[in-house]
Amino acid sequence: MKKIPLLVLGAALCMANIAVAATVTKSNSDKVIGQETAVLTDAPAVPPRITRKHATKVIVNLEVKELEGRLADGVSYTFWTFGGKVPGKFIRIREGDDVEFHLNNHPDNKMPHNIDLHAVTGPGGGAAASLTAPGHSSVFSFKALNPGLYVYHCATAPVAMHVANGMYGLILVEPKAGMSKVDHEFYVMQGDFYTQGKNGEQGLQAFSMAKAIDEKPEYVVFNGAAGALTGDNALKAKKGDTVRLFVGVGGPNLTSSFHVIGEIFDKVNHEGNTAAPAKNIQTTMIPAGGAAYMEFKVNVPGTYIMVDHSLTRAFNKGALGMLKVSGDEDKTIYSGKMTDEVYLPEGTSMRNAERSQAQAPTAKTKADRVKLGEAIYNNNCAACHQTTGVGVPQAFPPLAKSDYLLNGKAPTIKAVTGGLQGKLVVNGNEYNGVMPAWTLSDEEVANVLTYIYSSWGNSGDEVTPEEVKQHRVAPVKHVE
Ligand SMILES: [Cu+2]
């Protein structure tokens, strides 16, 4: 009778010991020790696995750059990027880390930007704290409470436009236990692009807000361009290797049905969770603003095609990449028949450039001016003010029948050459946005404004290069 309580006591002591030990281990691994600067990589590269067994302070330096780049063969686009490429730099940290985030907006940029990291616990995911004007740098910090693979993106209004221009990337918060070693890790991110011109139309393409609102992209691509992962850019592995793909969807709109033709994912961590992989998956769905990672062993050499299994996106709009597996001459039907040419998206390099990139001619008549101005308008202004000049409610004021234009030519010339920001009332509606200053010549400003004045029920005035010269102002500095 007396033995039982003793046993119970012994068991209780024993459990208490275990509990104490567990607490010690936990607090050790939670303690933030030391400091390091995050290694950031451009897709498809991934920063090295984290081997440290404790949390640390991690400094992340990310620079926003707006730059023209290739979207498809003969098609270029002004991308807004986190680090110079689409998708943005891959960030890899560990659960429990204290992150000091520096968002730098390059002085050559035209727009303010910020960052919302889905790995952040806090209002806006960092967005309000990181709103940064061109030529400025913002700092905020957060603790990585939850492990997982997370999307980050710009959240500056109009948010969908910033995201559509390429402002997204992935941040991996490794669980405390770490991640297993594999032979290759790759970074792939899907995005939908909305260009004024149809798929394949050559030259620099402006953003179409109308197509974005309709969710009708001309391009759906991996890693920022059609062909970013095909041919010489294909991912590479050797027979017998284990491969881990970190796949995100920046959107802004489309969900990906991600699939690798000829492979079965041995493990999929749905929605970026680090706890429980699903096994033996054919196609995994990745939502806009979401991510997943998957592992598989490549047993057979050949070329494996990665697609969004909504297949016209893959074969007609660009969402197609390749993983080339080398190894013994064990030719499969895939490696035998699939060539880069066959699988390049249709239509991307078919059309000839109709427009010559030569110096724009000088207008001799008002009609010339209107015609030349239309092209300038479509390339520079239509993205926000829309091809029909109607603007976008709450974001971009109209130019069609705009009462602002009735103030006279001088304020309009000032707005275009110097930029415009702050509260503005057009046709009774308030706007509070930022229009960058345009680096256009006197001739170009004259032409685009003559086009605007001559269109959509406006006054029909002509603006001459002399008037532009007279009223031109230096670009206004953005204020925070
Ligand atoms: Cu932005």
Side-chain angles (χ1 to χ4, degrees):
M1 255 190 75
K2 281 193 177 169
K3 258 186 178 173
I4 294 160
L6 269 176
L7 268 175
V8 170
L9 182 66
L13 276 171
C14 194
M15 279 169 70
N17 280 340
I18 291 165
V20 168
T23 315
V24 169
T25 323
K26 189 164 185 276
S27 67
N28 265 350
S29 78
D30 271 351
K31 205 166 144 203
V32 176
I33 304 165
Q35 175 176 318
E36 63 187 44
T37 302
V39 176
L40 307 179
T41 57
D42 286 322
V46 175
R49 239 161 31 97
I50 291 176
T51 48
R52 64 185 150 78
K53 297 282 178 260
H54 58 86
T56 194
K57 178 175 170 182
V58 182
I59 316 280
V60 176
N61 288 302
L62 193 57
E63 186 185 48
V64 176
K65 280 188 205 153
E66 299 165 4
L67 41 83
E68 198 180 313
R70 178 188 169 281
L71 178 56
D73 287 343
V75 182
S76 56
Y77 191 79
T78 303
F79 296 99
W80 297 350
T81 72
F82 285 109
K85 287 250 166 70
V86 178
K89 301 272 186 191
F90 197 106
I91 307 168
R92 189 170 198 159
I93 58 174
R94 180 186 177 276
E95 181 183 2
D97 282 351
D98 278 338
V99 180
E100 183 181 292
F101 207 102
H102 296 245
L103 188 72
N104 310 314
N105 194 349
H106 194 281
D108 290 347
N109 291 347
K110 291 173 175 163
M111 308 295 282
H113 300 284
N114 64 6
I115 191 165
D116 166 354
L117 299 120
H118 293 177
V120 169
T121 306
S130 62
L131 184 63
T132 309
H136 287 245
S137 171
S138 298
V139 184
F140 68 103
S141 68
F142 68 94
K143 193 168 197 67
L145 296 180
N146 302 63
L149 180 63
Y150 297 97
V151 167
Y152 66 79
H153 62 88
C154 184
T156 306
V159 180
M161 179 184 183
H162 284 248
V163 172
N165 286 344
M167 299 200 77
Y168 45 77
L170 290 180
I171 175 169
L172 173 66
V173 183
E174 283 199 28
K176 284 177 190 167
M179 292 178 89
S180 64
K181 201 167 181 302
V182 289
D183 296 308
H184 302 277
E185 291 185 327
F186 298 113
Y187 171 21
V188 176
M189 211 159 173
Q190 181 171 322
D192 21 306
F193 286 87
Y194 303 85
T195 52
Q196 292 281 348
K198 284 203 171 311
N199 183 294
E201 202 164 304
Q202 302 284 287
L204 179 62
Q205 293 295 321
F207 168 70
S208 165
M209 185 61 114
K211 287 181 189 174
I213 291 169
D214 288 347
E215 301 186 18
K216 290 203 171 123
E218 294 293 340
Y219 298 88
V220 181
V221 299
F222 295 136
N223 291 0
L229 292 173
T230 63
D232 290 345
N233 302 323
L235 306 179
K236 286 170 195 76
K238 283 199 289 298
K239 183 181 163 179
D241 285 350
T242 45
V243 175
R244 181 183 285 142
L245 301 178
F246 294 103
V247 185
V249 175
N253 295 320
L254 300 189
T255 292
S256 179
S257 301
F258 189 75
H259 178 80
V260 177
I261 302 175
E263 266 302 339
I264 295 157
F265 303 133
D266 298 331
K267 291 184 202 164
V268 173
N269 285 72
H270 287 300
E271 292 166 17
N273 94 88
T274 54
K279 301 222 167 116
N280 304 326
I281 304 290
Q282 56 191 308
T283 300
T284 193
M285 190 138 98
I286 308 175
Y293 60 96
M294 52 226 74
E295 282 174 40
F296 50 96
K297 187 170 176 172
V298 284
N299 300 306
V300 181
T303 299
Y304 294 84
I305 311 289
M306 298 179 279
V307 294
D308 178 338
H309 216 294
S310 290
L311 288 171
T312 51
R313 299 178 191 167
F315 296 103
N316 303 82
K317 294 185 170 179
L320 183 148
M322 293 175 179
L323 169 65
K324 287 189 176 167
V325 178
S326 59
D328 310 344
E329 293 271 309
D330 180 8
K331 276 205 171 178
T332 68
I333 170 173
Y334 300 104
S335 65
K337 287 190 176 176
M338 290 186 179
T339 69
D340 297 6
E341 270 157 83
V342 171
Y343 281 89
L344 273 177
E346 282 167 31
T348 46
S349 55
M350 303 304 183
R351 275 167 246 219
N352 278 324
E354 277 156 83
R355 293 188 293 129
S356 88
Q357 303 284 36
Q359 198 70 44
T362 318
K364 293 194 181 64
T365 62
K366 186 179 162 198
D368 276 1
R369 237 181 248 308
V370 170
K371 196 154 185 295
L372 294 168
E374 182 175 9
I376 298 167
Y377 181 83
N378 286 330
N379 281 328
N380 296 284
C381 323
C384 298
H385 294 290
Q386 307 298 293
T387 26
T388 51
V390 293
V392 174
Q394 273 134 53
F396 305 120
L399 296 173
K401 302 201 181 76
S402 152
D403 56 10
Y404 185 94
L405 299 177
L406 301 176
N407 298 336
K409 298 183 212 171
T412 312
I413 292 167
K414 283 194 181 118
V416 175
T417 53
L420 203 57
Q421 63 181 329
K423 282 214 175 87
L424 183 76
V425 176
V426 180
N427 297 351
N429 297 313
E430 194 174 284
Y431 297 87
N432 193 358
V434 177
M435 180 169 74
W438 296 98
T439 41
L440 297 171
S441 67
D442 292 346
E443 171 82 18
E444 288 169 320
V445 175
N447 295 351
V448 75
L449 288 181
T450 304
Y451 170 70
I452 290 168
Y453 276 113
S454 305
S455 306
W456 319 306
N458 289 335
S459 67
D461 287 344
E462 179 173 4
V463 178
T464 64
E466 292 69 37
E467 286 170 308
V468 176
K469 195 171 180 166
Q470 190 189 341
H471 298 293
R472 175 183 277 286
V473 293
V476 176
K477 277 259 186 316
H478 290 297
V479 287
E480 271 166 305

